[in-house]
Amino acid sequence: MIDFNKAYDILDKYNQTHILKYFDELSDSEKESLLNQIELTDFSVLDFLENNNCVSSRGDIRPLGAVTLDEINKNCEEYTKHGLEVIKNNEVGAVLLAGGQGTRLGFDKPKGMFDMGITRNLYIFQCLMNNLLDVVNKAGVFIPLYIMTSEKNNKDTVDFFEEHDYFGYDRNFVKFFIQDMAPSADRNGKVLMESKSCISLSPNGNGGWFSSMVRAGLLDELKEKNIKWINVFAVDNVLQRIADPAFVGAVSLSGCQSGSKVVSKASPDERVGVLCLEDGKPSIVEYYEMTEKMRTMREENGRLSYNYGVILNYLFSLERLEEIVNEKLPIHVVEKKIPHMNDEGELICPETPNGYKFETLVLDMVHMQNSCLSYEVEREKEFAPVKNAVGVDSVDSARELLRKNGIEL
Ligand code: UTP
């Protein structure tokens, strides 16, 4: 382990020596713990604050069409048949991204533990497991499910699954792995502290899921199981179709290296990332990166040219994931509410965003693919995100959509 002087030098390089302000007051074990944190933390992410957001300038952006709902309806039988064969061959695994802190929802447990039910319990995790079980029942095989948690929520998540007997899933097909953390900083770029001996660390975004899986030793298992495709999805879409046979079939038959579920934009101004082409490769452009012209441009048939919004449900080939595992993803600087210790040593839980977290995002992995099948799904049937407590993409709007899909609450 590094000593005080070494820790000071590291911090000095990044203008963060305030982290050692209370060092003399700490017990031996706290001192050891803080030095350990300093050694393990990657402070280089702070450099990205200077550029505000490092996402490098964009290449040549062009629209990318999708396999539309009409085409999918026409070919549904063929896609589903093929997809089911791939699933029955045990070639599909699923990864649930559940390491986020869900600060917008303001629920103090892992988001998946939130209860969507009204007259009965219906937890978000339960909704997802029910959806996955639909496919298991059709295919007659269990799909290996890997759940990414963070150090902050791993225990709660694992205990919850245990307590609920994996919601009827075969527990032998469920594994948990823990993602990495990154420091968070205040508006002046100073790393926040949770206590005198504890740096405020937060999960480093959902982009590191595959490298974290590899570090957790799960690559060998994926290979032993002969998994070829991994369906990555977010915890908060309660209508999420996981390992959807028609989607798996369509991507596999298309010869594309990856696939993304998309929904038609509700309006030109909808705040959603759009799947398009950048320098001839698939890529996602965030709503705030789009020019007015891009937002409103239409094709001859009247459809928006940049029409297909991503819903965080991707299918990646394991072969490609292995090829890109060491490639660096861009770092995004995100404003969040970050609990921290103030100058008086009290823990503050802010009501509004007070600083920055540093995240890599799974959507940037799409640009590392040579091709991506954009696969349209019906928003009302497959997209009910629970991001906020009220308003847009909230518990209420998701409940409404669950009801519309015949799910008793
Ligand atoms: P969000 O972008 O909604 O972030 O995550 P969040 O941290 O959960 O929520 P807010 O912004 O603080 O309200 C999209 C998906 O990525 C996962 C989340 O759990 C969710 O499924 N995620 C996010 C991770 O697994 N790890 C992270 O570090 C961040």
Side-chain angles (χ1 to χ4, degrees), residues 97-105 111 148 179 203-206 233-236 312 336 359 387:
L97 303 173
Q101 288 180 296
T103 52
R104 281 170 290 172
L105 182 61
K111 206 190 252 189
M148 181 164 88
Q179 69 171 98
N204 67 347
N206 57 28
F233 63 98
V235 72
D236 43 33
L312 220 175
K336 298 252 178 168
E359 300 190 335
K387 296 283 185 195

mmCIF file with all atom_site columns, all heavy atoms in Angstrom, residues 97-105 111 148 179 203-206 233-236 312 336 359 387, ligand 1:
data_model
loop_
_atom_site.group_PDB
_atom_site.id
_atom_site.type_symbol
_atom_site.label_atom_id
_atom_site.label_alt_id
_atom_site.label_comp_id
_atom_site.label_asym_id
_atom_site.label_entity_id
_atom_site.label_seq_id
_atom_site.pdbx_PDB_ins_code
_atom_site.Cartn_x
_atom_site.Cartn_y
_atom_site.Cartn_z
_atom_site.occupancy
_atom_site.B_iso_or_equiv
_atom_site.pdbx_formal_charge
_atom_site.auth_seq_id
_atom_site.auth_comp_id
_atom_site.auth_asym_id
_atom_site.auth_atom_id
_atom_site.pdbx_PDB_model_num
ATOM   1   N N   . LEU A 1 97  ? -28.397 -4.453 -16.373 1.00 0.00 ? 97  LEU A N   1
ATOM   2   C CA  . LEU A 1 97  ? -27.594 -3.358 -15.832 1.00 0.00 ? 97  LEU A CA  1
ATOM   3   C C   . LEU A 1 97  ? -28.318 -2.765 -14.629 1.00 0.00 ? 97  LEU A C   1
ATOM   4   O O   . LEU A 1 97  ? -29.319 -2.073 -14.781 1.00 0.00 ? 97  LEU A O   1
ATOM   5   C CB  . LEU A 1 97  ? -27.400 -2.272 -16.900 1.00 0.00 ? 97  LEU A CB  1
ATOM   6   C CG  . LEU A 1 97  ? -26.755 -2.743 -18.207 1.00 0.00 ? 97  LEU A CG  1
ATOM   7   C CD1 . LEU A 1 97  ? -26.768 -1.618 -19.242 1.00 0.00 ? 97  LEU A CD1 1
ATOM   8   C CD2 . LEU A 1 97  ? -25.331 -3.255 -17.973 1.00 0.00 ? 97  LEU A CD2 1
ATOM   9   N N   . ALA A 1 98  ? -27.844 -3.106 -13.457 1.00 0.00 ? 98  ALA A N   1
ATOM   10  C CA  . ALA A 1 98  ? -28.555 -2.665 -12.248 1.00 0.00 ? 98  ALA A CA  1
ATOM   11  C C   . ALA A 1 98  ? -27.586 -2.040 -11.245 1.00 0.00 ? 98  ALA A C   1
ATOM   12  O O   . ALA A 1 98  ? -27.761 -2.126 -10.045 1.00 0.00 ? 98  ALA A O   1
ATOM   13  C CB  . ALA A 1 98  ? -29.301 -3.831 -11.620 1.00 0.00 ? 98  ALA A CB  1
ATOM   14  N N   . GLY A 1 99  ? -26.530 -1.407 -11.781 1.00 0.00 ? 99  GLY A N   1
ATOM   15  C CA  . GLY A 1 99  ? -25.531 -0.807 -10.894 1.00 0.00 ? 99  GLY A CA  1
ATOM   16  C C   . GLY A 1 99  ? -25.775 0.673  -10.641 1.00 0.00 ? 99  GLY A C   1
ATOM   17  O O   . GLY A 1 99  ? -25.089 1.290  -9.843  1.00 0.00 ? 99  GLY A O   1
ATOM   18  N N   . GLY A 1 100 ? -26.753 1.243  -11.350 1.00 0.00 ? 100 GLY A N   1
ATOM   19  C CA  . GLY A 1 100 ? -27.001 2.690  -11.238 1.00 0.00 ? 100 GLY A CA  1
ATOM   20  C C   . GLY A 1 100 ? -27.571 3.048  -9.882  1.00 0.00 ? 100 GLY A C   1
ATOM   21  O O   . GLY A 1 100 ? -28.025 2.183  -9.119  1.00 0.00 ? 100 GLY A O   1
ATOM   22  N N   . GLN A 1 101 ? -27.572 4.332  -9.578  1.00 0.00 ? 101 GLN A N   1
ATOM   23  C CA  . GLN A 1 101 ? -28.058 4.762  -8.265  1.00 0.00 ? 101 GLN A CA  1
ATOM   24  C C   . GLN A 1 101 ? -29.475 5.305  -8.314  1.00 0.00 ? 101 GLN A C   1
ATOM   25  O O   . GLN A 1 101 ? -30.064 5.594  -7.275  1.00 0.00 ? 101 GLN A O   1
ATOM   26  C CB  . GLN A 1 101 ? -27.111 5.807  -7.676  1.00 0.00 ? 101 GLN A CB  1
ATOM   27  C CG  . GLN A 1 101 ? -25.800 5.161  -7.249  1.00 0.00 ? 101 GLN A CG  1
ATOM   28  C CD  . GLN A 1 101 ? -24.858 6.157  -6.660  1.00 0.00 ? 101 GLN A CD  1
ATOM   29  O OE1 . GLN A 1 101 ? -24.427 7.076  -7.345  1.00 0.00 ? 101 GLN A OE1 1
ATOM   30  N NE2 . GLN A 1 101 ? -24.534 6.010  -5.398  1.00 0.00 ? 101 GLN A NE2 1
ATOM   31  N N   . GLY A 1 102 ? -30.007 5.454  -9.520  1.00 0.00 ? 102 GLY A N   1
ATOM   32  C CA  . GLY A 1 102 ? -31.386 5.900  -9.676  1.00 0.00 ? 102 GLY A CA  1
ATOM   33  C C   . GLY A 1 102 ? -31.696 7.145  -8.869  1.00 0.00 ? 102 GLY A C   1
ATOM   34  O O   . GLY A 1 102 ? -32.730 7.219  -8.219  1.00 0.00 ? 102 GLY A O   1
ATOM   35  N N   . THR A 1 103 ? -30.810 8.129  -8.954  1.00 0.00 ? 103 THR A N   1
ATOM   36  C CA  . THR A 1 103 ? -30.998 9.321  -8.101  1.00 0.00 ? 103 THR A CA  1
ATOM   37  C C   . THR A 1 103 ? -32.275 10.081 -8.453  1.00 0.00 ? 103 THR A C   1
ATOM   38  O O   . THR A 1 103 ? -32.888 10.690 -7.586  1.00 0.00 ? 103 THR A O   1
ATOM   39  C CB  . THR A 1 103 ? -29.802 10.285 -8.213  1.00 0.00 ? 103 THR A CB  1
ATOM   40  O OG1 . THR A 1 103 ? -29.571 10.541 -9.593  1.00 0.00 ? 103 THR A OG1 1
ATOM   41  C CG2 . THR A 1 103 ? -28.567 9.700  -7.588  1.00 0.00 ? 103 THR A CG2 1
ATOM   42  N N   . ARG A 1 104 ? -32.681 10.032 -9.731  1.00 0.00 ? 104 ARG A N   1
ATOM   43  C CA  . ARG A 1 104 ? -33.879 10.788 -10.117 1.00 0.00 ? 104 ARG A CA  1
ATOM   44  C C   . ARG A 1 104 ? -35.131 10.207 -9.462  1.00 0.00 ? 104 ARG A C   1
ATOM   45  O O   . ARG A 1 104 ? -36.060 10.914 -9.120  1.00 0.00 ? 104 ARG A O   1
ATOM   46  C CB  . ARG A 1 104 ? -34.037 10.795 -11.641 1.00 0.00 ? 104 ARG A CB  1
ATOM   47  C CG  . ARG A 1 104 ? -33.127 11.785 -12.328 1.00 0.00 ? 104 ARG A CG  1
ATOM   48  C CD  . ARG A 1 104 ? -33.136 11.608 -13.811 1.00 0.00 ? 104 ARG A CD  1
ATOM   49  N NE  . ARG A 1 104 ? -32.467 10.378 -14.232 1.00 0.00 ? 104 ARG A NE  1
ATOM   50  C CZ  . ARG A 1 104 ? -32.462 9.907  -15.464 1.00 0.00 ? 104 ARG A CZ  1
ATOM   51  N NH1 . ARG A 1 104 ? -33.112 10.548 -16.409 1.00 0.00 ? 104 ARG A NH1 1
ATOM   52  N NH2 . ARG A 1 104 ? -31.805 8.803  -15.774 1.00 0.00 ? 104 ARG A NH2 1
ATOM   53  N N   . LEU A 1 105 ? -35.157 8.923  -9.268  1.00 0.00 ? 105 LEU A N   1
ATOM   54  C CA  . LEU A 1 105 ? -36.335 8.305  -8.648  1.00 0.00 ? 105 LEU A CA  1
ATOM   55  C C   . LEU A 1 105 ? -36.375 8.629  -7.149  1.00 0.00 ? 105 LEU A C   1
ATOM   56  O O   . LEU A 1 105 ? -37.444 8.736  -6.556  1.00 0.00 ? 105 LEU A O   1
ATOM   57  C CB  . LEU A 1 105 ? -36.296 6.781  -8.877  1.00 0.00 ? 105 LEU A CB  1
ATOM   58  C CG  . LEU A 1 105 ? -37.473 5.990  -8.334  1.00 0.00 ? 105 LEU A CG  1
ATOM   59  C CD1 . LEU A 1 105 ? -38.768 6.453  -8.997  1.00 0.00 ? 105 LEU A CD1 1
ATOM   60  C CD2 . LEU A 1 105 ? -37.283 4.488  -8.559  1.00 0.00 ? 105 LEU A CD2 1
ATOM   61  N N   . LYS A 1 111 ? -32.991 0.303  -7.549  1.00 0.00 ? 111 LYS A N   1
ATOM   62  C CA  . LYS A 1 111 ? -34.224 0.619  -8.266  1.00 0.00 ? 111 LYS A CA  1
ATOM   63  C C   . LYS A 1 111 ? -35.108 -0.607 -8.503  1.00 0.00 ? 111 LYS A C   1
ATOM   64  O O   . LYS A 1 111 ? -36.335 -0.538 -8.450  1.00 0.00 ? 111 LYS A O   1
ATOM   65  C CB  . LYS A 1 111 ? -33.875 1.284  -9.592  1.00 0.00 ? 111 LYS A CB  1
ATOM   66  C CG  . LYS A 1 111 ? -34.966 2.186  -10.101 1.00 0.00 ? 111 LYS A CG  1
ATOM   67  C CD  . LYS A 1 111 ? -34.674 2.634  -11.522 1.00 0.00 ? 111 LYS A CD  1
ATOM   68  C CE  . LYS A 1 111 ? -34.295 4.091  -11.533 1.00 0.00 ? 111 LYS A CE  1
ATOM   69  N NZ  . LYS A 1 111 ? -34.219 4.623  -12.920 1.00 0.00 ? 111 LYS A NZ  1
ATOM   70  N N   . MET A 1 148 ? -25.509 -6.953 -13.189 1.00 0.00 ? 148 MET A N   1
ATOM   71  C CA  . MET A 1 148 ? -24.439 -6.054 -12.753 1.00 0.00 ? 148 MET A CA  1
ATOM   72  C C   . MET A 1 148 ? -24.951 -5.150 -11.637 1.00 0.00 ? 148 MET A C   1
ATOM   73  O O   . MET A 1 148 ? -25.962 -4.470 -11.777 1.00 0.00 ? 148 MET A O   1
ATOM   74  C CB  . MET A 1 148 ? -23.945 -5.191 -13.909 1.00 0.00 ? 148 MET A CB  1
ATOM   75  C CG  . MET A 1 148 ? -22.813 -4.261 -13.494 1.00 0.00 ? 148 MET A CG  1
ATOM   76  S SD  . MET A 1 148 ? -21.919 -3.568 -14.871 1.00 0.00 ? 148 MET A SD  1
ATOM   77  C CE  . MET A 1 148 ? -22.901 -2.116 -15.200 1.00 0.00 ? 148 MET A CE  1
ATOM   78  N N   . GLN A 1 179 ? -19.659 -3.738 -10.681 1.00 0.00 ? 179 GLN A N   1
ATOM   79  C CA  . GLN A 1 179 ? -18.971 -2.815 -11.577 1.00 0.00 ? 179 GLN A CA  1
ATOM   80  C C   . GLN A 1 179 ? -17.979 -1.935 -10.822 1.00 0.00 ? 179 GLN A C   1
ATOM   81  O O   . GLN A 1 179 ? -17.952 -1.942 -9.598  1.00 0.00 ? 179 GLN A O   1
ATOM   82  C CB  . GLN A 1 179 ? -19.985 -1.942 -12.302 1.00 0.00 ? 179 GLN A CB  1
ATOM   83  C CG  . GLN A 1 179 ? -20.698 -0.938 -11.425 1.00 0.00 ? 179 GLN A CG  1
ATOM   84  C CD  . GLN A 1 179 ? -21.539 0.041  -12.237 1.00 0.00 ? 179 GLN A CD  1
ATOM   85  O OE1 . GLN A 1 179 ? -22.733 -0.135 -12.375 1.00 0.00 ? 179 GLN A OE1 1
ATOM   86  N NE2 . GLN A 1 179 ? -20.893 1.066  -12.779 1.00 0.00 ? 179 GLN A NE2 1
ATOM   87  N N   . PRO A 1 203 ? -20.847 4.558  -8.967  1.00 0.00 ? 203 PRO A N   1
ATOM   88  C CA  . PRO A 1 203 ? -20.670 3.619  -10.069 1.00 0.00 ? 203 PRO A CA  1
ATOM   89  C C   . PRO A 1 203 ? -20.250 4.377  -11.340 1.00 0.00 ? 203 PRO A C   1
ATOM   90  O O   . PRO A 1 203 ? -20.756 5.470  -11.601 1.00 0.00 ? 203 PRO A O   1
ATOM   91  C CB  . PRO A 1 203 ? -22.061 3.009  -10.231 1.00 0.00 ? 203 PRO A CB  1
ATOM   92  C CG  . PRO A 1 203 ? -22.774 3.278  -8.949  1.00 0.00 ? 203 PRO A CG  1
ATOM   93  C CD  . PRO A 1 203 ? -22.166 4.497  -8.350  1.00 0.00 ? 203 PRO A CD  1
ATOM   94  N N   . ASN A 1 204 ? -19.333 3.794  -12.103 1.00 0.00 ? 204 ASN A N   1
ATOM   95  C CA  . ASN A 1 204 ? -18.716 4.551  -13.211 1.00 0.00 ? 204 ASN A CA  1
ATOM   96  C C   . ASN A 1 204 ? -19.470 4.440  -14.531 1.00 0.00 ? 204 ASN A C   1
ATOM   97  O O   . ASN A 1 204 ? -18.884 4.453  -15.597 1.00 0.00 ? 204 ASN A O   1
ATOM   98  C CB  . ASN A 1 204 ? -17.257 4.108  -13.380 1.00 0.00 ? 204 ASN A CB  1
ATOM   99  C CG  . ASN A 1 204 ? -17.143 2.672  -13.857 1.00 0.00 ? 204 ASN A CG  1
ATOM   100 O OD1 . ASN A 1 204 ? -18.140 1.937  -13.833 1.00 0.00 ? 204 ASN A OD1 1
ATOM   101 N ND2 . ASN A 1 204 ? -15.982 2.264  -14.301 1.00 0.00 ? 204 ASN A ND2 1
ATOM   102 N N   . GLY A 1 205 ? -20.780 4.292  -14.461 1.00 0.00 ? 205 GLY A N   1
ATOM   103 C CA  . GLY A 1 205 ? -21.570 4.238  -15.691 1.00 0.00 ? 205 GLY A CA  1
ATOM   104 C C   . GLY A 1 205 ? -21.807 2.809  -16.138 1.00 0.00 ? 205 GLY A C   1
ATOM   105 O O   . GLY A 1 205 ? -21.223 1.874  -15.597 1.00 0.00 ? 205 GLY A O   1
ATOM   106 N N   . ASN A 1 206 ? -22.695 2.655  -17.116 1.00 0.00 ? 206 ASN A N   1
ATOM   107 C CA  . ASN A 1 206 ? -23.017 1.286  -17.539 1.00 0.00 ? 206 ASN A CA  1
ATOM   108 C C   . ASN A 1 206 ? -22.142 0.782  -18.682 1.00 0.00 ? 206 ASN A C   1
ATOM   109 O O   . ASN A 1 206 ? -22.324 -0.336 -19.152 1.00 0.00 ? 206 ASN A O   1
ATOM   110 C CB  . ASN A 1 206 ? -24.511 1.160  -17.872 1.00 0.00 ? 206 ASN A CB  1
ATOM   111 C CG  . ASN A 1 206 ? -24.950 2.149  -18.937 1.00 0.00 ? 206 ASN A CG  1
ATOM   112 O OD1 . ASN A 1 206 ? -24.146 2.551  -19.769 1.00 0.00 ? 206 ASN A OD1 1
ATOM   113 N ND2 . ASN A 1 206 ? -26.220 2.541  -18.908 1.00 0.00 ? 206 ASN A ND2 1
ATOM   114 N N   . PHE A 1 233 ? -29.615 -5.015 -21.061 1.00 0.00 ? 233 PHE A N   1
ATOM   115 C CA  . PHE A 1 233 ? -30.818 -4.194 -20.891 1.00 0.00 ? 233 PHE A CA  1
ATOM   116 C C   . PHE A 1 233 ? -30.811 -3.470 -19.552 1.00 0.00 ? 233 PHE A C   1
ATOM   117 O O   . PHE A 1 233 ? -30.130 -3.874 -18.613 1.00 0.00 ? 233 PHE A O   1
ATOM   118 C CB  . PHE A 1 233 ? -32.086 -5.053 -21.054 1.00 0.00 ? 233 PHE A CB  1
ATOM   119 C CG  . PHE A 1 233 ? -32.218 -6.129 -20.019 1.00 0.00 ? 233 PHE A CG  1
ATOM   120 C CD1 . PHE A 1 233 ? -33.026 -5.933 -18.907 1.00 0.00 ? 233 PHE A CD1 1
ATOM   121 C CD2 . PHE A 1 233 ? -31.539 -7.324 -20.138 1.00 0.00 ? 233 PHE A CD2 1
ATOM   122 C CE1 . PHE A 1 233 ? -33.157 -6.917 -17.932 1.00 0.00 ? 233 PHE A CE1 1
ATOM   123 C CE2 . PHE A 1 233 ? -31.651 -8.313 -19.172 1.00 0.00 ? 233 PHE A CE2 1
ATOM   124 C CZ  . PHE A 1 233 ? -32.462 -8.106 -18.072 1.00 0.00 ? 233 PHE A CZ  1
ATOM   125 N N   . ALA A 1 234 ? -31.633 -2.400 -19.501 1.00 0.00 ? 234 ALA A N   1
ATOM   126 C CA  . ALA A 1 234 ? -31.673 -1.551 -18.305 1.00 0.00 ? 234 ALA A CA  1
ATOM   127 C C   . ALA A 1 234 ? -32.675 -2.081 -17.298 1.00 0.00 ? 234 ALA A C   1
ATOM   128 O O   . ALA A 1 234 ? -33.653 -2.734 -17.661 1.00 0.00 ? 234 ALA A O   1
ATOM   129 C CB  . ALA A 1 234 ? -32.058 -0.133 -18.694 1.00 0.00 ? 234 ALA A CB  1
ATOM   130 N N   . VAL A 1 235 ? -32.428 -1.740 -16.045 1.00 0.00 ? 235 VAL A N   1
ATOM   131 C CA  . VAL A 1 235 ? -33.300 -2.227 -14.982 1.00 0.00 ? 235 VAL A CA  1
ATOM   132 C C   . VAL A 1 235 ? -34.662 -1.535 -15.012 1.00 0.00 ? 235 VAL A C   1
ATOM   133 O O   . VAL A 1 235 ? -35.662 -2.088 -14.570 1.00 0.00 ? 235 VAL A O   1
ATOM   134 C CB  . VAL A 1 235 ? -32.635 -2.034 -13.599 1.00 0.00 ? 235 VAL A CB  1
ATOM   135 C CG1 . VAL A 1 235 ? -32.595 -0.566 -13.178 1.00 0.00 ? 235 VAL A CG1 1
ATOM   136 C CG2 . VAL A 1 235 ? -33.313 -2.840 -12.526 1.00 0.00 ? 235 VAL A CG2 1
ATOM   137 N N   . ASP A 1 236 ? -34.690 -0.295 -15.563 1.00 0.00 ? 236 ASP A N   1
ATOM   138 C CA  . ASP A 1 236 ? -35.882 0.503  -15.279 1.00 0.00 ? 236 ASP A CA  1
ATOM   139 C C   . ASP A 1 236 ? -37.002 0.468  -16.299 1.00 0.00 ? 236 ASP A C   1
ATOM   140 O O   . ASP A 1 236 ? -37.996 1.171  -16.135 1.00 0.00 ? 236 ASP A O   1
ATOM   141 C CB  . ASP A 1 236 ? -35.469 1.946  -14.984 1.00 0.00 ? 236 ASP A CB  1
ATOM   142 C CG  . ASP A 1 236 ? -34.427 2.439  -15.945 1.00 0.00 ? 236 ASP A CG  1
ATOM   143 O OD1 . ASP A 1 236 ? -34.453 2.022  -17.114 1.00 0.00 ? 236 ASP A OD1 1
ATOM   144 O OD2 . ASP A 1 236 ? -33.577 3.235  -15.514 1.00 0.00 ? 236 ASP A OD2 1
ATOM   145 N N   . LEU A 1 312 ? -32.204 1.315  -24.672 1.00 0.00 ? 312 LEU A N   1
ATOM   146 C CA  . LEU A 1 312 ? -31.271 0.526  -23.863 1.00 0.00 ? 312 LEU A CA  1
ATOM   147 C C   . LEU A 1 312 ? -31.636 -0.963 -23.830 1.00 0.00 ? 312 LEU A C   1
ATOM   148 O O   . LEU A 1 312 ? -31.863 -1.545 -22.756 1.00 0.00 ? 312 LEU A O   1
ATOM   149 C CB  . LEU A 1 312 ? -31.090 1.092  -22.450 1.00 0.00 ? 312 LEU A CB  1
ATOM   150 C CG  . LEU A 1 312 ? -29.646 1.027  -21.935 1.00 0.00 ? 312 LEU A CG  1
ATOM   151 C CD1 . LEU A 1 312 ? -29.461 1.687  -20.592 1.00 0.00 ? 312 LEU A CD1 1
ATOM   152 C CD2 . LEU A 1 312 ? -29.045 -0.353 -21.967 1.00 0.00 ? 312 LEU A CD2 1
ATOM   153 N N   . LYS A 1 336 ? -25.215 15.368 -11.102 1.00 0.00 ? 336 LYS A N   1
ATOM   154 C CA  . LYS A 1 336 ? -26.081 14.549 -10.245 1.00 0.00 ? 336 LYS A CA  1
ATOM   155 C C   . LYS A 1 336 ? -26.161 15.132 -8.842  1.00 0.00 ? 336 LYS A C   1
ATOM   156 O O   . LYS A 1 336 ? -25.351 15.972 -8.457  1.00 0.00 ? 336 LYS A O   1
ATOM   157 C CB  . LYS A 1 336 ? -25.523 13.127 -10.128 1.00 0.00 ? 336 LYS A CB  1
ATOM   158 C CG  . LYS A 1 336 ? -25.454 12.367 -11.436 1.00 0.00 ? 336 LYS A CG  1
ATOM   159 C CD  . LYS A 1 336 ? -26.497 11.287 -11.517 1.00 0.00 ? 336 LYS A CD  1
ATOM   160 C CE  . LYS A 1 336 ? -26.402 10.602 -12.874 1.00 0.00 ? 336 LYS A CE  1
ATOM   161 N NZ  . LYS A 1 336 ? -27.124 9.403  -13.004 1.00 0.00 ? 336 LYS A NZ  1
ATOM   162 N N   . GLU A 1 359 ? -18.916 8.933  -16.177 1.00 0.00 ? 359 GLU A N   1
ATOM   163 C CA  . GLU A 1 359 ? -19.486 7.640  -16.593 1.00 0.00 ? 359 GLU A CA  1
ATOM   164 C C   . GLU A 1 359 ? -19.101 7.268  -18.020 1.00 0.00 ? 359 GLU A C   1
ATOM   165 O O   . GLU A 1 359 ? -19.025 8.133  -18.891 1.00 0.00 ? 359 GLU A O   1
ATOM   166 C CB  . GLU A 1 359 ? -21.020 7.715  -16.533 1.00 0.00 ? 359 GLU A CB  1
ATOM   167 C CG  . GLU A 1 359 ? -21.574 8.029  -15.155 1.00 0.00 ? 359 GLU A CG  1
ATOM   168 C CD  . GLU A 1 359 ? -23.087 7.857  -15.076 1.00 0.00 ? 359 GLU A CD  1
ATOM   169 O OE1 . GLU A 1 359 ? -23.759 7.962  -16.121 1.00 0.00 ? 359 GLU A OE1 1
ATOM   170 O OE2 . GLU A 1 359 ? -23.582 7.616  -13.957 1.00 0.00 ? 359 GLU A OE2 1
ATOM   171 N N   . LYS A 1 387 ? -37.941 6.425  -14.508 1.00 0.00 ? 387 LYS A N   1
ATOM   172 C CA  . LYS A 1 387 ? -36.758 7.258  -14.234 1.00 0.00 ? 387 LYS A CA  1
ATOM   173 C C   . LYS A 1 387 ? -37.035 8.229  -13.096 1.00 0.00 ? 387 LYS A C   1
ATOM   174 O O   . LYS A 1 387 ? -36.177 8.485  -12.271 1.00 0.00 ? 387 LYS A O   1
ATOM   175 C CB  . LYS A 1 387 ? -36.387 8.079  -15.481 1.00 0.00 ? 387 LYS A CB  1
ATOM   176 C CG  . LYS A 1 387 ? -35.963 7.274  -16.682 1.00 0.00 ? 387 LYS A CG  1
ATOM   177 C CD  . LYS A 1 387 ? -34.552 6.751  -16.542 1.00 0.00 ? 387 LYS A CD  1
ATOM   178 C CE  . LYS A 1 387 ? -34.101 6.054  -17.804 1.00 0.00 ? 387 LYS A CE  1
ATOM   179 N NZ  . LYS A 1 387 ? -32.894 5.233  -17.573 1.00 0.00 ? 387 LYS A NZ  1
HETATM 180 P P1  . UTP B 2 .   ? -29.491 5.713  -15.886 1.00 0.00 ? 1   UTP B P1  1
HETATM 181 O O1  . UTP B 2 .   ? -28.848 6.441  -16.995 1.00 0.00 ? 1   UTP B O1  1
HETATM 182 O O2  . UTP B 2 .   ? -30.956 5.879  -15.741 1.00 0.00 ? 1   UTP B O2  1
HETATM 183 O O3  . UTP B 2 .   ? -28.738 6.087  -14.536 1.00 0.00 ? 1   UTP B O3  1
HETATM 184 O O4  . UTP B 2 .   ? -29.148 4.177  -16.043 1.00 0.00 ? 1   UTP B O4  1
HETATM 185 P P2  . UTP B 2 .   ? -29.064 5.783  -13.014 1.00 0.00 ? 1   UTP B P2  1
HETATM 186 O O5  . UTP B 2 .   ? -27.790 6.092  -12.289 1.00 0.00 ? 1   UTP B O5  1
HETATM 187 O O6  . UTP B 2 .   ? -29.619 4.439  -12.777 1.00 0.00 ? 1   UTP B O6  1
HETATM 188 O O7  . UTP B 2 .   ? -30.227 6.814  -12.624 1.00 0.00 ? 1   UTP B O7  1
HETATM 189 P P3  . UTP B 2 .   ? -30.196 8.371  -12.316 1.00 0.00 ? 1   UTP B P3  1
HETATM 190 O O8  . UTP B 2 .   ? -29.714 9.037  -13.580 1.00 0.00 ? 1   UTP B O8  1
HETATM 191 O O9  . UTP B 2 .   ? -29.254 8.592  -11.162 1.00 0.00 ? 1   UTP B O9  1
HETATM 192 O O10 . UTP B 2 .   ? -31.606 8.703  -11.984 1.00 0.00 ? 1   UTP B O10 1
HETATM 193 C C1  . UTP B 2 .   ? -29.570 3.385  -17.111 1.00 0.00 ? 1   UTP B C1  1
HETATM 194 C C2  . UTP B 2 .   ? -29.289 1.943  -16.759 1.00 0.00 ? 1   UTP B C2  1
HETATM 195 O O11 . UTP B 2 .   ? -27.904 1.721  -16.559 1.00 0.00 ? 1   UTP B O11 1
HETATM 196 C C3  . UTP B 2 .   ? -27.668 1.190  -15.265 1.00 0.00 ? 1   UTP B C3  1
HETATM 197 C C4  . UTP B 2 .   ? -28.881 1.591  -14.445 1.00 0.00 ? 1   UTP B C4  1
HETATM 198 O O12 . UTP B 2 .   ? -29.013 0.732  -13.319 1.00 0.00 ? 1   UTP B O12 1
HETATM 199 C C5  . UTP B 2 .   ? -29.980 1.483  -15.479 1.00 0.00 ? 1   UTP B C5  1
HETATM 200 O O13 . UTP B 2 .   ? -30.362 0.144  -15.664 1.00 0.00 ? 1   UTP B O13 1
HETATM 201 N N1  . UTP B 2 .   ? -26.426 1.754  -14.728 1.00 0.00 ? 1   UTP B N1  1
HETATM 202 C C6  . UTP B 2 .   ? -26.247 3.100  -14.694 1.00 0.00 ? 1   UTP B C6  1
HETATM 203 C C7  . UTP B 2 .   ? -25.490 0.903  -14.246 1.00 0.00 ? 1   UTP B C7  1
HETATM 204 O O14 . UTP B 2 .   ? -25.671 -0.342 -14.252 1.00 0.00 ? 1   UTP B O14 1
HETATM 205 N N2  . UTP B 2 .   ? -24.343 1.433  -13.744 1.00 0.00 ? 1   UTP B N2  1
HETATM 206 C C8  . UTP B 2 .   ? -24.108 2.762  -13.697 1.00 0.00 ? 1   UTP B C8  1
HETATM 207 O O15 . UTP B 2 .   ? -23.040 3.175  -13.227 1.00 0.00 ? 1   UTP B O15 1
HETATM 208 C C9  . UTP B 2 .   ? -25.094 3.627  -14.189 1.00 0.00 ? 1   UTP B C9  1
#
